[in-house]
Amino acid sequence: MGETEITCAAGTIVGTTRGGKRVFDAIPYLAETRPFDDPAPVEQGLLIDATAPNPNALAISTPASARPGTDCPVIVWLSQPVEPGDGIVHVHVPHRRGFEGFLPFAADAIGHFRGVADVKLALRWVQQNIEAFGGDPTNVAVVGAGEEAAVALWLCRRDHYAGEFRRVWAADPVFPRAPYEKRKWIVRYLLSAPLTRAKLNELAENRPARLGRSYRRYAKFFGPMGPQPYDAAELADLATVRVEEALDPHAIAEFAR
């Protein structure tokens, strides 16, 4: 295993070579914010050590031979990557989930969710930087399963889609079982706190275990929080969407090409 280096708009990124691939395990794409604040892009032009995993950062793997101009298809994984096929650049995007990602505030725009906004910034990062990794920014597929499939489909809405990807594979998408307004009372009960950005940021920073425990109790009875309400009629015409029962590695590889 050796080191490899890429220079792009984001900065100089140091990764490793292993298993016939170049691997960059920890590339920050979000600036540090409080847990319930809207996301902001990270500063560009950094020296980034991406040799060790970071669950809050992008992870990218490329064919060992990929260079600028290779124009490999790009798969952006919202779920855990399966990494099928050769000649593909894979990007894993972590984002906020649970209350931090999907509990709406009164001042939020309709259809705005922090977890989705995180992914939007990641897709912008891909558009600005992936060519340096040998990827084709005009040939990007977004893949997700379950809750992540719901996020992938939400990105296809006309009020969200901005051409950052061409295809979506959504495996068994899971959306909230009922509108948030019908569940708001139980969220307030579980958290025992006003449902304001300031109070929830304070709770997340001072009592994170309580926040996590409350969400697990909520999800156990009511299912995961996520973007809602979903309406297929609101999808943009430009996105090619496949809703499937599962993640099929070989079919996804062909779908992405």
Side-chain angles (χ1 to χ4, degrees):
M1 184 173 70
E3 286 194 350
T4 186
E5 185 178 289
I6 283 177
T7 299
C8 56
T12 298
I13 305 173
V14 180
T16 58
T17 57
R18 58 180 187 264
K21 297 180 180 180
R22 294 193 298 169
V23 180
F24 304 85
D25 281 319
I27 305 174
Y29 74 100
L30 297 175
E32 289 191 17
T33 60
R34 303 182 78 186
F36 285 87
D37 285 352
D38 284 335
V42 73
E43 180 184 355
Q44 294 195 332
L46 303 174
L47 175 60
I48 300 168
D49 180 357
T51 58
N54 180 338
N56 298 314
L58 300 178
I60 298 178
S61 69
T62 80
S65 60
R67 295 294 184 274
T70 306
D71 285 343
C72 297
V74 179
I75 299 180
V76 172
W77 296 88
L78 306 186
S79 304
Q80 192 63 32
V82 181
E83 298 202 6
D86 296 323
I88 296 175
V89 172
H90 298 276
V91 183
H92 179 230
V93 177
H95 62 88
R96 282 175 286 185
R97 304 171 73 177
F99 292 145
E100 295 94 322
F102 295 102
L103 189 151
F105 296 114
D108 289 342
I110 295 174
H112 172 78
F113 297 94
R114 292 173 300 282
V116 176
D118 289 351
V119 179
K120 286 280 290 181
L121 283 183
L123 289 168
R124 184 189 304 174
W125 191 100
V126 168
Q127 287 298 307
Q128 294 171 342
N129 296 282
I130 207 64
E131 197 167 4
F133 292 80
D136 181 355
T138 70
N139 188 12
V140 177
V142 176
V143 177
E147 299 169 53
E148 315 305 342
V151 172
L153 290 173
W154 199 261
L155 290 164
C156 297
R157 285 168 48 110
R158 284 188 291 272
D159 58 353
H160 281 64
Y161 185 68
E164 310 100 324
F165 54 91
R166 292 176 57 186
R167 305 177 183 89
V168 164
W169 183 292
D172 191 23
V174 176
F175 287 94
R177 299 172 189 167
Y180 171 71
E181 288 302 321
K182 291 188 176 181
R183 305 295 193 214
K184 190 174 182 179
W185 66 272
I186 191 65
V187 176
R188 186 181 288 112
Y189 168 77
L190 289 170
L191 294 176
S192 299
L195 300 183
T196 66
R197 197 184 308 271
K199 288 297 184 181
L200 293 183
N201 272 328
E202 183 180 323
L203 179 64
E205 291 166 354
N206 296 329
R207 303 188 66 181
R210 175 175 156 191
L211 184 68
R213 185 169 58 250
S214 296
Y215 180 71
R216 288 191 294 274
R217 291 179 65 190
Y218 175 91
K220 178 180 179 180
F221 292 102
F222 301 108
M225 273 198 163
Q228 61 172 318
Y230 173 68
D231 183 353
E234 295 179 345
L235 299 187
D237 294 333
L238 296 177
T240 300
V241 178
R242 283 183 62 172
V243 179
E244 302 287 348
E245 293 183 356
L247 296 177
D248 182 330
H250 299 294
I252 290 172
E254 291 304 313
F255 177 69
R257 295 187 191 280

